[in-house]
Amino acid sequence: MNIDKQYLEQAGVDAKTISKVVKEFQNAGAEYNVIQCAVAIEILLRTLCPKAEQRTAVKEIVDNFFDIEVGN
């Protein structure tokens, strides 16, 4: 899939909104354990993106347009 910044803008996928959603999931992590949160997120992904190509597009967007820092 050919994803560019214009596609992201049209889809409303901006860094500020995504950051807000991620922070809300992180807050849920304070109440639930990591595995519970990860399973819930995977269920949401499969529910919101039932087709494999949709999940591939999501993966491409994350991999190519968002910097992810993992803190252990």
Side-chain angles (χ1 to χ4, degrees):
M1 182 173 204
N2 187 15
I3 298 172
D4 58 16
K5 288 189 184 247
Q6 183 179 10
Y7 172 87
L8 296 179
E9 289 172 5
Q10 290 174 348
V13 181
D14 61 277
K16 186 176 178 180
T17 301
I18 297 302
S19 179
K20 181 180 176 187
V21 173
V22 168
K23 285 179 193 231
E24 292 195 24
F25 275 110
Q26 288 172 330
N27 290 338
E31 186 173 340
Y32 304 99
N33 72 42
V34 174
I35 297 298
Q36 290 168 325
C37 290
V39 169
I41 290 169
E42 182 66 21
I43 290 168
L44 285 171
L45 177 62
R46 291 180 187 191
T47 301
L48 296 171
C49 301
K51 297 179 182 175
E53 59 268 10
Q54 293 170 315
R55 292 190 298 276
T56 299
V58 169
K59 183 181 180 329
E60 271 188 50
I61 291 169
V62 172
D63 289 347
N64 296 320
F65 294 97
F66 293 92
D67 292 326
I68 301 170
E69 295 179 24
V70 178
N72 291 328

